[in-house]
Amino acid sequence: MTEISPGLENVYIKYTELTYIDGDNGIMRYRGYDINELAEKSSFEEVSYLMLFGELPDEKELSNFKNKINNNLKLPDYMKNILKNLPGEADSLGILQTVLSARSSIELNYKYSEKNDKELIPEILGNVLSIVSNIYRIKSGKAIIDPIPGKNYAETFLNACFDKTDDQKIDAIDAALILYMDHEIPASTTAALVTASTLSDMYSSLVSAVTALRGPLHGGAAEGAYKQFLEIKTPENVEPWFKKNIIEDKKRLIGLGHRVYKTYDPRLKSFKKYADKLSVTPEQKNILEIAKKLEELGVKTFGPKGIYTNTDFYSGIVFNAIGFPLDMFTTLFGLSRISGILAHITEYVEKQEKLIRPRAIYNGYDKREYKK
Ligand code: ACO
């Protein structure tokens, strides 16, 4: 009998040279390089280039790539108008989705090829930096601007968001953008592949990805984890909160557990390092202490079942310490993920293209008489 695989669990739809994950031993690599080493030693542009084009760039390749991205920081007026005109309560990721969707409407007859993709990708990376920084600005009551190129993508982004930033925060957001860049083919990347496999254009494929990212089962865990810390309020309240919510009410502890990892998420190491470095105010130190106590209790309770801390447990603490409010966390995840999604789209369409079209087993009525 034919069986279905709910959630496409354990169904493989492509080969990939991009991200290697060993969920039992907590290992993650981009094109063979350890993820934490890349986060520490490389910039977002270098790792994007690695993922998109196969190798880390030399000086000239990097400078060309950066220039092309920087040439696309100025958004066209129609995008700025959409940013201005959406209602104030619009969801941050929903705004990104809407602006990308408007751009897709004027992408007529896009033809995937190494040459065309190479031209379009820096435009997308420049545009998205500008869209996301302006989403933050609008939500904070600031005017829309054209970002000014800094030393790297991370600096350009933070300078566009905030009046003041520093090297530690730039390093932290740079690392976060790298750590979240790709994770094989989760729901959002799969959604992009389904769309790209119809040979719909690159922007439409990205819209599919961002739309799928928005759901709380996928992109929203950093926000969920941080909300727990806020609800707990003090380190002393961790144990009573855990007993009531997690043990008695059987709620899930957000920031723990993963479909693939049965041990600590390897990206956690870097996020924890930046959470330690950046938590300097009494409020930030309080949240960090709550998080550490909660992690200890969670791992003690669920570790024996293979449920350990995932990357979202600490990433919200880093985003918040950099200066971002809760409702930007998923959008920052989206900004980081664009290069990875584009790399999967081009890898699939340029090398393995086949329309993705699964089947469903019909289990409804047999033939019925039509009666009026
Ligand atoms: N807290 C408490 N129990 C948990 C948790 C958790 N965080 N995660 C899994 N479990 C338990 C489930 O209750 C279930 O128990 P049971 O077998 O007694 O019913 C068992 O572990 C298996 O859970 P599933 O949901 O079937 O496993 P799955 O692999 O589908 O879950 C998931 C993965 C959805 C991430 C889950 O661990 C979870 O909900 N975690 C909390 C949300 C979260 O942190 N998401 C972020 C994921 S990482 C990322 O997207 C970057």
Side-chain angles (χ1 to χ4, degrees):
M1 202 179 91
T2 313
E3 286 188 3
I4 63 160
S5 175
L8 296 178
E9 193 167 4
N10 293 323
V11 172
Y12 294 79
I13 62 163
K14 78 191 277 262
Y15 292 100
T16 185
E17 295 175 2
L18 298 169
T19 297
Y20 170 76
I21 304 174
D22 175 346
D24 294 326
N25 297 303
I27 296 170
M28 183 178 160
R29 298 183 195 124
Y30 291 156
R31 293 198 186 269
Y33 296 107
D34 178 76
I35 177 74
N36 287 305
E37 200 177 354
L38 285 173
E40 197 184 321
K41 298 180 181 164
S42 285
S43 67
F44 170 81
E45 298 92 311
E46 286 172 314
V47 181
S48 292
Y49 192 97
L50 167 75
M51 294 300 264
L52 290 158
F53 309 124
E55 295 295 338
L56 285 164
D58 61 26
E59 236 172 80
K60 192 166 163 237
E61 288 164 336
L62 181 62
S63 141
N64 282 342
F65 187 52
K66 277 174 149 178
N67 286 341
K68 283 186 183 171
I69 294 173
N70 289 337
N71 288 341
N72 287 286
L73 293 172
K74 187 170 164 28
L75 293 178
D77 285 346
Y78 76 89
M79 284 194 189
K80 289 181 179 166
N81 288 335
I82 294 171
L83 284 167
K84 270 184 216 149
N85 289 326
L86 283 173
E89 70 271 22
D91 173 77
S92 302
L93 199 70
I95 303 176
L96 174 62
Q97 173 190 320
T98 307
V99 179
L100 291 175
S101 187
R103 174 64 182 83
S104 79
S105 71
I106 53 163
E107 190 62 61
L108 308 171
N109 306 319
Y110 186 75
K111 294 238 178 331
Y112 288 93
S113 71
E114 216 179 310
K115 186 172 164 288
N116 289 349
D117 298 348
K118 262 194 168 156
E119 284 304 307
L120 187 61
I121 283 166
E123 176 198 307
I124 295 175
L125 294 179
N127 274 194
V128 171
L129 182 155
S130 196
I131 296 166
V132 174
S133 52
N134 278 307
I135 291 172
Y136 168 75
R137 293 183 66 84
I138 286 169
K139 293 235 142 214
S140 321
K142 298 177 183 178
I144 292 178
I145 56 158
D146 296 322
I148 297 163
K151 69 173 183 234
N152 61 21
Y153 198 84
E155 186 180 71
T156 309
F157 176 61
L158 287 196
N159 279 343
C161 294
F162 306 115
D163 300 329
K164 204 171 130 232
T165 185
D166 59 49
D167 282 346
Q168 247 189 13
K169 290 179 179 168
I170 293 166
D171 284 351
I173 199 74
D174 198 23
L177 291 172
I178 293 169
L179 293 163
Y180 269 129
M181 188 178 292
D182 190 45
H183 209 224
E184 206 211 62
I185 50 167
S188 49
T189 312
T190 302
L193 290 175
V194 171
T195 303
S197 83
T198 70
L199 298 186
S200 183
D201 70 281
M202 196 90 91
Y203 272 100
S204 297
S205 307
L206 271 185
V207 172
S208 299
V210 175
T211 313
L213 194 64
R214 198 167 152 196
L217 290 188
H218 185 17
E223 189 177 329
Y226 199 86
K227 277 184 181 158
Q228 293 173 152
F229 310 148
L230 292 175
E231 195 183 309
I232 292 172
K233 287 195 178 81
T234 64
E236 294 70 40
N237 193 31
V238 169
E239 270 195 58
W241 183 92
F242 187 85
K243 194 162 169 274
K244 165 86 182 69
N245 288 274
I246 308 299
I247 304 296
E248 289 170 17
D249 295 349
K250 299 201 177 315
K251 285 187 191 158
R252 290 202 174 196
L253 186 54
I254 308 298
L256 251 74
H258 199 280
R259 176 68 64 80
V260 182
Y261 296 116
K262 300 304 161 207
T263 182
Y264 288 102
D265 183 326
R267 298 166 291 181
L268 200 66
K269 192 174 146 201
S270 293
F271 272 115
K272 249 177 149 168
K273 182 182 87 182
Y274 286 107
D276 277 331
K277 264 193 196 171
L278 295 181
S279 299
V280 288
T281 68
E283 294 79 21
Q284 290 165 343
K285 284 184 177 163
N286 183 55
I287 292 284
L288 186 60
E289 201 182 330
I290 292 170
K292 286 187 175 172
K293 275 188 100 171
L294 188 61
E295 179 186 23
E296 203 183 311
L297 256 183
V299 170
K300 202 167 127 200
T301 310
F302 298 114
K305 285 172 79 180
I307 298 167
Y308 286 84
T309 338
N310 65 52
T311 187
D312 293 338
F313 199 81
Y314 285 98
S315 62
I317 294 182
V318 175
F319 291 151
N320 185 263
I322 291 170
F324 290 105
L326 264 178
D327 76 343
M328 281 298 292
F329 291 1
T330 315
T331 310
L332 294 171
F333 183 177
L335 173 68
S336 327
R337 201 39 77 81
I338 299 291
S339 302
I341 294 167
L342 293 173
H344 275 285
I345 293 174
T346 54
E347 184 179 63
Y348 188 77
V349 181
E350 285 174 13
K351 294 188 191 146
Q352 309 163 32
E353 189 265 310
K354 185 165 173 74
L355 177 74
I356 298 174
R357 202 296 189 194
R359 296 293 313 273
I361 300 173
Y362 179 73
N363 65 354
Y365 288 107
D366 278 341
K367 186 173 188 308
R368 294 200 281 171
E369 285 301 316
Y370 180 79
K371 289 184 200 133
K372 237 187 181 168

